[in-house]
Amino acid sequence: MNLHGSSGQSEPKSEPPPTIASSPPTPKLKISPRLNRWSMTRALRSGGVKIDRPQIQRSDNSPRRQLTEEADKKTSEIEGGDDVEITAVKSIYLVSDGTGWTAEHSVNAALGQFDDCGCSVNTHLFSWVEDEEKLIEIIKQAAKEGAMCFYTLANPSMAKSAKEACDLLGVLSVDILGPIIEGIASHLGVSPSGLTRGARGRVKTLNDAYFKRIEAIEFTIKQDDGTLPENLSKADIILVGVSRTGKTPLSTYIAQKGYKVANIPFVMGVEPPKTLFEVEPRKVFALKIELVVLQAIRRTRAKTLGVDREAENNYSGFDLVRKELDFASKIYAKNPGWAVIDVTNKAIEETAALILRLYHDGSDSSTSVPCISKRY
Amino acid sequence: MNLHGSSGQSEPKSEPPPTIASSPPTPKLKISPRLNRWSMTRALRSGGVKIDRPQIQRSDNSPRRQLTEEADKKTSEIEGGDDVEITAVKSIYLVSDGTGWTAEHSVNAALGQFDDCGCSVNTHLFSWVEDEEKLIEIIKQAAKEGAMCFYTLANPSMAKSAKEACDLLGVLSVDILGPIIEGIASHLGVSPSGLTRGARGRVKTLNDAYFKRIEAIEFTIKQDDGTLPENLSKADIILVGVSRTGKTPLSTYIAQKGYKVANIPFVMGVEPPKTLFEVEPRKVFALKIELVVLQAIRRTRAKTLGVDREAENNYSGFDLVRKELDFASKIYAKNPGWAVIDVTNKAIEETAALILRLYHDGSDSSTSVPCISKRY
């Protein structure tokens, strides 16, 4: 497994979504002693993962009824109580009655904990699952494939159905959104709407925040790569750094969060625009990176561009890269008000988090632990 | 509360992060009967929100020791068992030993369930909280402010400390990441690393997916707004639509997920580039929007740009907007292979989810329910 952030792109053609016919044989493994030790520690947190099988009333004539019959056939597979055997199937189903991005984001983050396990995992994201029939169909497919199921279902009745169906069919399931909504409901003392994201009248998209975000994205794209330095004073955040320090992807990532970002490339021997030295230094974030890592990134870049040998040396040659980094460092040293951020081996999300924390920290020193505050 | 997606930007100056000194008086509310009914339904899903108070050993000489003493003082405030009173303070703390984006994303999604509750909520995101001392300091601050606490802590010992500290100080808490990691560990039969995102050697950022994502973002920025139509054949996804249908923000959002996106504006009377009609139609997504909504967006845009009355009428006048939409519709009708997507009142994330589902659905018809698959 090799992942970082939410950057992986699916490969629909090389990896078709699962079908019942193609479900692989499922070798069985006992839980490893290492896992057991870890599970005991985790049990202190939340009581561990349970596979419950609630009683379903036979008089129910919903799609759940046929489900109970199917479940009976499967009973032998899920017998065994707490000592249930865990199959080695590595499919994960994500089911949502909205976009599914919350499930994808959370599971992606959690998968980061299994980077070195040597496992290969497939996720299948089902979005806009807004009726029970479709929900049950997906869970049946998960059961046949030996997949586990994460769900984010705003509609409480759908969430209940998902849990019941997963339990009946022996599909390990986790409700991602439910506990968070419950927590907030308890905290605020009000009930959630239960409306899905797409429900008419639920989302008020055309508010100030929407327009502000759009403006931030458009501003950021226009200022990319040092264009329009006369607009630097209008930026919330300005990124500077030599080529291939990730200024462009960082800019667009931060812009999605509603900040106007400008970025200025530092090129050996070229003076940065004067306006850069006129803006508030706390808005400027100077990116640095380890020499060998930058050289490796530039070599890959040169290959992608298909440039010739000489041009490649001018771009990724050791001496030249070192000199360019020195050139940038000297400018950074002359501007002690700029925060210098090391981007070596950091994912875009990580650098963005560091920058935004510093940005907000710099603007208010009244709290002992820096944080990013938002009002809803 | 007025929110959509992750678009809200914090206002550091107008809304300073909380300090102990500024903690507001906390009026108390009983849980409403409506909430109780809802809670019972939810209880079927996960057993509801519990406020546990585990026994902490007095021999412990960590920061938790002083905490137990502080907790004793607070006992009277958190007495009451299941009938505990919920205070009306609307601060939410998000604590992470990584970037904190998972906590922010999930809580933001859950807050969408409270859009119309008339509540005003402040979130405070604490990222890179990697030692117990800082963690306890934040939870103490949460307790003093009457905030609730969500956490995503990859380090199990930190997660345990968070739970214990929150329980001791009567801070309602929810572990967002723990149950997801537990579920995956059970499913795969392996233990999680317990390493935080920033831990050395944990994240392998410079892999193929990283370079693919960077390339997608850079491609997308270069193709924005119809530039370089000769490159359309290299795009994964092509968005077409009249001005202000959200092509640019949509493009950059989708690009972050690793897809190369090009967008072509449809302008009244201007023929779209020939290359658009040469690409695979399944790659083209034609955006449509309701006339009055588009007109409202354009009016806001014109105000932002500060254009004069005549120019504004040429851009957002009812007749002109209608004619331009008709012009686009006619081209759409001639290209039945293009998917037409209604963006009216949809957040960027929603339209992106619709487009990506269709994109993947179109490429594989072997599954009964369309989904987006990914390999890790």
Side-chain angles (χ1 to χ4, degrees), chain B residues 93-316:
Chain B
Y93 277 41
L94 312 172
V95 184
S96 173
D97 52 10
T99 62
W101 300 138
T102 301
E104 191 201 46
H105 188 120
S106 310
V107 169
N108 189 57
L111 280 171
Q113 288 295 304
F114 302 90
D115 267 350
D116 299 317
C117 76
C119 318
S120 178
V121 172
N122 284 335
T123 61
H124 303 291
L125 173 64
F126 299 85
S127 50
W128 315 110
V129 179
E130 289 179 284
D131 64 76
E132 203 185 359
E133 206 174 332
K134 207 195 269 179
L135 175 69
I136 302 293
E137 190 183 339
I138 292 165
I139 294 171
K140 277 187 196 168
Q141 199 169 294
K144 290 205 169 107
E145 219 199 328
M148 80 166 290
C149 182
F150 288 97
Y151 55 92
T152 52
L153 295 159
N155 179 335
S157 140
M158 286 282 281
K160 189 167 164 274
S161 297
K163 179 165 169 46
E164 286 176 358
C166 285
D167 289 352
L168 267 168
L169 295 177
V171 173
L172 182 65
S173 68
V174 176
D175 180 354
I176 295 178
L177 207 53
I180 305 175
I181 294 175
E182 276 169 33
I184 297 174
S186 292
H187 185 52
L188 301 183
V190 292
S191 311
S193 66
L195 295 176
T196 58
R197 185 154 189 165
R200 276 214 164 266
R202 216 283 265 147
V203 183
K204 296 181 194 72
T205 46
L206 298 179
N207 53 19
D208 287 349
Y210 173 83
F211 287 111
K212 195 171 175 184
R213 184 185 181 192
I214 303 290
E215 204 188 329
I217 294 169
E218 290 176 348
F219 176 93
T220 301
I221 287 188
K222 278 190 198 128
Q223 318 303 312
D224 187 49
D225 208 27
T227 45
L228 310 177
E230 64 274 23
N231 281 349
L232 280 186
S233 62
K234 294 177 194 156
D236 298 312
I237 287 170
I238 298 158
L239 307 176
V240 301
V242 304
S243 173
R244 294 293 111 187
T245 43
K247 297 181 299 299
T248 297
L250 248 180
S251 298
T252 56
Y253 185 88
I254 296 174
Q256 291 284 349
K257 295 190 178 286
Y259 303 81
K260 290 182 191 168
V261 188
N263 73 69
I264 305 282
F266 275 15
V267 181
M268 178 96 130
V270 178
E271 277 304 302
K274 269 188 192 169
T275 46
L276 175 63
F277 305 98
E278 289 157 8
V279 298
E280 279 182 71
R282 69 163 199 94
K283 289 185 173 182
V284 182
F285 294 85
L287 309 183
K288 74 168 187 179
I289 187 167
E290 278 173 24
L291 173 57
V292 283
V293 175
L294 179 60
Q295 203 196 4
I297 296 174
R298 286 196 175 181
R299 267 208 214 105
T300 308
R301 173 68 172 171
K303 262 182 218 156
T304 309
L305 294 175
V307 297
D308 63 31
R309 195 85 193 167
E310 199 190 323
E312 189 189 323
N313 279 338
N314 280 339
Y315 183 67
S316 58

Side-chain angles (χ1 to χ4, degrees), chain A residues 9-11 19 45 86 113 116 121 124-125 137 175 186 193-195 204 212 258 360 368 372-373 376, chain B residues 9-11 45 86 113 116 121 124-125 137 175 186 193-195 204 212 258 360 366 368 372-373 376:
Chain A
Q9 186 187 346
S10 49
E11 301 287 351
T19 55
R45 296 167 62 170
I86 305 294
Q113 288 295 302
D116 299 318
V121 172
H124 303 291
L125 172 64
E137 190 182 340
D175 180 354
S186 292
S193 67
L195 294 176
K204 295 179 194 77
K212 196 172 175 183
H360 287 273
S368 53
I372 303 176
S373 300
Y376 291 96
Chain B
Q9 186 187 345
S10 51
E11 301 287 352
R45 297 167 62 169
I86 305 295
Q113 288 295 304
D116 299 317
V121 172
H124 303 291
L125 173 64
E137 190 183 339
D175 180 354
S186 292
S193 66
L195 295 176
K204 296 181 194 72
K212 195 171 175 184
H360 287 272
S366 64
S368 54
I372 303 175
S373 300
Y376 290 96

Side-chain angles (χ1 to χ4, degrees), chain A residues 213-222 255-256, chain B residues 248-249 252 348:
Chain A
R213 184 184 182 193
I214 303 291
E215 204 189 329
I217 294 168
E218 290 176 347
F219 176 93
T220 301
I221 287 188
K222 278 188 198 130
Q256 291 284 350
Chain B
T248 297
T252 56
I348 296 166

